[in-house]
Amino acid sequence: MLAHLILNTSNYGAMKQWYLRVLDATVGVEMGGAGCFLRIDESHHRIGLFKVANADSSEGMANPGSPDPASKSRLNHFSFEYPTLRDLLETHARLAREDINPAECLNHGPTVSIYFPDPDNNTVELFYDTSYTEEQIVEWYGGGASYALAPVVFDPAAMLKELQDGKTTEELTAWAPPHLR
């Protein structure tokens, strides 16, 4: 369980509004424009934003073993789990109506994930856990980078429509390794 995450930002206003919208959060405490704590559940804060004069704005997301020589010392990404596939896809639909669009939507096998860049270019993953068994997880990770780095791209709006039209979550989240596609 995520206890809380605190982000330093030189883009305070935009970051605050983005997290309020994306996570459907409320302000728990505001510190006179110097920072705030956001509530997304019963806890008094899960996300904190602290205003700073300057923050690194380089891209943080990188694949394991990436040969990219650019600095990746900051946060790679953080994620929030949704209890059902429908909840995840309906969140995507809500955000799309607010013109908040993902960078990518990937069925990784163990998770169906939608990745959004926040205004400071941090990557935020919203995901549904497909409830792989322990054996399936071991098999999936045993496939190495060919599995981990070969997700299936999907369209959340199309997937939501298929779900509404009667396809099951299991049918919509089925994943095959690259050599079986």
Side-chain angles (χ1 to χ4, degrees):
M1 171 197 289
L2 174 71
H4 65 262
L5 177 73
I6 308 298
L7 296 168
N8 292 327
T9 179
S10 55
N11 194 12
Y12 179 74
M15 288 282 282
K16 177 180 157 190
Q17 288 308 309
W18 193 86
Y19 279 94
L20 286 170
R21 291 168 66 196
V22 168
L23 299 178
D24 205 18
T26 58
V27 175
V29 176
E30 181 97 36
M31 296 170 276
C36 67
F37 293 112
L38 303 180
R39 297 179 69 140
I40 58 174
D41 58 19
E42 70 286 344
S43 176
H44 50 84
H45 75 282
R46 293 285 183 210
I47 303 289
L49 300 170
F50 293 169
K51 184 177 180 180
V52 297
N54 188 21
D56 179 12
S57 62
S58 64
E59 184 176 337
M61 188 80 163
N63 289 323
S66 173
D68 182 353
S71 174
K72 302 290 185 203
S73 63
R74 54 184 279 247
L75 175 72
N76 183 286
H77 77 279
F78 58 99
S79 63
F80 295 89
E81 183 176 354
Y82 284 74
T84 69
L85 180 62
R86 182 177 298 273
D87 289 336
L88 174 66
L89 299 174
E90 287 177 348
T91 296
H92 171 270
R94 176 181 62 82
L95 295 174
R97 287 189 301 272
E98 296 183 38
D99 203 29
I100 298 174
N101 299 302
E104 55 189 350
C105 304
L106 305 172
N107 179 348
H108 292 284
T111 65
V112 174
S113 304
I114 304 175
Y115 296 93
F116 294 88
D118 74 11
D120 275 357
N121 214 21
N122 295 300
T123 300
V124 179
E125 174 190 15
L126 307 182
F127 78 96
Y128 167 70
D129 187 312
T130 59
S131 299
Y132 268 31
T133 64
E134 192 66 31
E135 293 79 24
Q136 288 172 309
I137 292 286
V138 168
E139 178 185 5
W140 190 82
Y141 282 108
S146 68
Y147 286 18
L149 303 178
V152 176
V153 176
F154 72 96
D155 176 346
M159 189 180 279
L160 178 58
K161 173 88 170 83
E162 289 181 283
L163 188 63
Q164 292 167 335
D165 289 345
K167 272 204 173 178
T168 66
T169 295
E170 292 73 23
E171 290 173 305
L172 291 170
T173 61
W175 181 89
H179 69 280
L180 296 179
R181 288 186 200 150

